[in-house]
Amino acid sequence: MRTKLFLLFALFTLQSNAQCWSKISSGAYHSIAIGNDGSLWAWGYNNTGQLGDGTINNKNAPNKIGTDTDWISVSAGYYHSFGIKSNGTLWAWGSNTNRQLGDGTNTDRITPVQIGTGTNWAKISGGETFSVAIKTDGTLWTWGSDSEGQMGNGTNGAHLVPTQVGTDTDWLQAEAGRYHVIALKTNNKLYAWGYNGNGQISNGGFGTTQQTPNLVTTTGTANFIKVEAGVNSSLAIKDDNTLWICGLVAPTNTTIFQQFASPFTFSNVSAGANHVVGVKSDGTLWAWGNNALGQISQPGYNASNIPSQVSGTNFSTQIGTNLYSSAVLKNDGSLYGFGQNHVGQIGDSSLIDKTSITAVSCPALLSNTTFDEKGVFSMFPNPVSSILNISIENNSDIQKIVIYDVTGKQVKFLEGNTTSIFVEDLKSGFYLLEVTIDGKKEVKKFIKQ
């Protein structure tokens, strides 16, 4: 075991100037991120402990939270935060005045606390005073304030702990806005409920609160694949990458979903209070909306209803928007931000607003962890869900394959010239793949989704 642990340590301390981050999520004025070693980091506003570092002091640079390296998903609410670990457990911290953490109390938490004992949490999203989540069995859960029907249970009763909404088991994604939810089922249809003061739940009018999930109708085929909730808006992407919007950030503040700027197609979008950032399939980044604080990264603080390209290429679909700023990842794991920065929410160690896209350095403690992708073999896809494939650059044969988890524990062992590995039975998280070729060992990292 000592040999394995030493190997693990050595691999996780290799240096690179590229890969550093794997996930990002932004709340009102703070951001939560996962390093590419599975560690947890946070920065920005911290008045209620939403950074999770045991203090209520703001941080203007990424600050490590605890020592665990098994985080696989994060979500920043307005003033509270969530994380899901590779074992499927749910953790929360920050503001809890409205029971939005789900721990059965109204006590703020300045470090992560586990919510219940469940090990099948899949997705989580935090609004201002409530939270919504989906489990691996496709069930939908809400908790916190129900002032605008955001619990989705037909009443205005707050929930102290996660409470199931209905009995359906086909929920795919649910995103919380300030006081509303936009959700997607496996049949690619949209549902929305909660506050509708700006038309954000697309029921054809303003101010009509919806207390239960309501099927949203749009023109064309209902083949939606992704949803996003802004403060007072809802956005959805179809499988042809067309973008549909309703609410405050729509060009005409529409009360029903309408296709946005038909020449523009996106792989992912994220909305703040009055701006939107989106990435196209070619890796270019675009932004539109209000620009009074540089939140669309265009010169002259000029607002625009038409998407304008933000400097740079090779952006990933990982985008996080604060109320008036944005955080974006590139495919190499590097992090960038722009917009308001008065409490350090950009993370560049300053408190100066950024009107142009600005790089955020990798913390020394994170060590810019990566793995040398050069070598005798390559693997794909990565991240992987079911089958991990190995490609050998020459005609050499594989003698042995070993997979280790982040603790150094061996979880798979295969002998012989095998180039396809079944990994669906592994839990989500980070793993090391050790391949012995011609008597020599080579190790690479992969992520199981």
Side-chain angles (χ1 to χ4, degrees):
M1 177 60 77
R2 287 188 64 186
T3 301
K4 294 174 185 175
L5 290 176
F6 176 78
L7 171 65
L8 188 70
F9 174 80
L11 288 169
F12 274 95
T13 54
L14 290 175
Q15 301 292 309
S16 169
N17 291 325
Q19 295 180 353
C20 180
W21 306 101
S22 65
K23 298 286 178 65
I24 181 71
S25 179
S26 299
Y29 302 105
H30 77 289
S31 291
I32 305 292
I34 299 176
N36 64 358
D37 62 350
S39 57
L40 185 67
W41 299 76
W43 58 94
Y45 195 40
N46 196 30
N47 65 322
T48 59
Q50 57 264 48
L51 299 189
D53 67 345
T55 77
I56 55 172
N57 301 321
N58 300 342
K59 302 293 190 303
N60 62 7
N63 186 52
K64 191 173 185 181
I65 312 304
T67 60
D68 293 347
T69 56
D70 55 350
W71 299 96
I72 61 169
S73 179
V74 286
S75 177
Y78 265 56
Y79 304 105
H80 66 300
S81 306
F82 291 102
I84 296 176
K85 291 189 175 184
S86 59
N87 61 5
T89 56
L90 177 65
W91 299 73
W93 57 99
S95 177
N96 199 27
T97 305
N98 293 276
R99 283 83 171 175
Q100 60 263 50
L101 298 188
D103 66 347
T105 77
N106 63 350
T107 303
D108 294 349
R109 305 292 183 179
I110 60 175
T111 57
V113 295
Q114 186 173 348
I115 305 306
T117 59
T119 58
N120 61 341
W121 294 100
K123 298 176 182 178
I124 177 71
S125 180
E128 180 169 346
T129 58
F130 78 104
S131 306
V132 57
I134 295 175
K135 289 188 175 183
T136 55
D137 60 4
T139 55
L140 179 70
W141 300 73
T142 58
W143 59 96
S145 170
D146 196 29
S147 59
E148 303 294 339
Q150 59 265 51
M151 292 296 95
N153 60 8
T155 69
N156 283 110
H159 294 160
L160 277 69
V161 295
T163 304
Q164 188 173 348
V165 179
T167 59
D168 292 349
T169 58
D170 57 348
W171 294 101
L172 182 64
Q173 187 186 359
E175 297 296 328
R178 188 177 187 183
Y179 301 121
H180 78 287
V181 179
I182 178 73
L184 180 67
K185 283 194 172 186
T186 55
N187 61 5
N188 303 114
K189 293 185 178 181
L190 299 178
Y191 290 78
W193 62 96
Y195 182 65
N196 194 43
N198 299 98
Q200 58 264 55
I201 65 171
S202 189
N203 66 0
F206 291 109
T208 306
T209 295
Q210 178 71 39
Q211 293 183 327
T212 57
N214 182 56
L215 177 64
V216 176
T217 58
T218 63
T219 58
T221 306
N223 50 349
F224 289 93
I225 60 172
K226 189 173 295 186
V227 293
E228 162 70 6
V231 175
N232 294 304
S233 60
S234 296
L235 304 89
I237 295 175
K238 287 189 175 183
D239 58 3
D240 60 0
N241 291 128
T242 57
L243 176 63
W244 296 70
I245 296 181
C246 65
L248 192 60
V249 297
T252 57
N253 198 26
T254 60
T255 61
I256 58 173
F257 267 101
Q258 293 187 3
Q259 185 176 347
F260 175 77
S262 57
F264 290 95
T265 57
F266 295 93
S267 297
N268 196 26
V269 291
S270 184
N274 49 27
H275 77 289
V276 182
V277 178
V279 63
K280 292 186 176 183
S281 58
D282 62 1
T284 56
L285 189 69
W286 300 73
W288 65 97
N290 192 287
N291 195 36
L293 296 165
Q295 58 263 56
I296 66 172
S297 188
Q298 296 300 318
Y301 297 100
N302 295 319
S304 175
N305 285 330
I306 300 174
S308 298
Q309 187 171 354
V310 178
S311 176
T313 58
N314 197 36
F315 289 96
S316 76
T317 56
Q318 281 289 312
I319 311 170
T321 48
N322 296 120
L323 290 181
Y324 308 107
S325 62
S326 300
V328 294
L329 287 181
K330 286 195 173 186
N331 288 320
D332 63 2
S334 54
L335 174 65
Y336 298 82
F338 46 93
Q340 187 183 41
N341 194 33
H342 67 305
V343 288
Q345 58 265 54
I346 297 295
D348 69 334
S349 299
S350 80
L351 297 176
I352 302 172
D353 294 348
K354 298 296 184 295
T355 58
S356 60
I357 190 165
T358 301
V360 178
S361 299
C362 292
L365 289 175
L366 186 52
S367 300
N368 303 337
T369 307
T370 189
F371 294 87
D372 185 3
E373 293 302 322
K374 299 177 182 179
V376 177
F377 81 92
S378 60
M379 57 184 175
F380 62 93
N382 188 15
V384 60
S385 297
S386 180
I387 303 294
L388 183 66
N389 298 295
I390 298 176
S391 176
I392 309 298
E393 293 184 357
N394 50 41
N395 294 323
S396 299
D397 290 336
I398 297 174
Q399 284 89 46
K400 183 174 65 174
I401 293 173
V402 183
I403 296 179
Y404 301 98
D405 65 16
V406 293
T407 69
K409 178 183 177 182
Q410 179 179 305
V411 294
K412 276 190 182 293
F413 178 88
L414 299 170
E415 286 188 307
N417 191 28
T418 301
T419 58
S420 295
I421 311 167
F422 180 78
V423 296
E424 191 171 349
D425 56 334
L426 297 180
K427 293 182 179 180
S428 298
F430 295 82
Y431 292 89
L432 297 178
L433 176 67
E434 178 188 86
V435 179
T436 302
I437 305 170
D438 292 337
K440 296 182 180 180
K441 294 180 180 179
E442 187 174 323
V443 184
K444 296 184 186 297
K445 182 186 73 172
F446 71 92
I447 300 172
K448 168 62 172 62
Q449 290 181 322

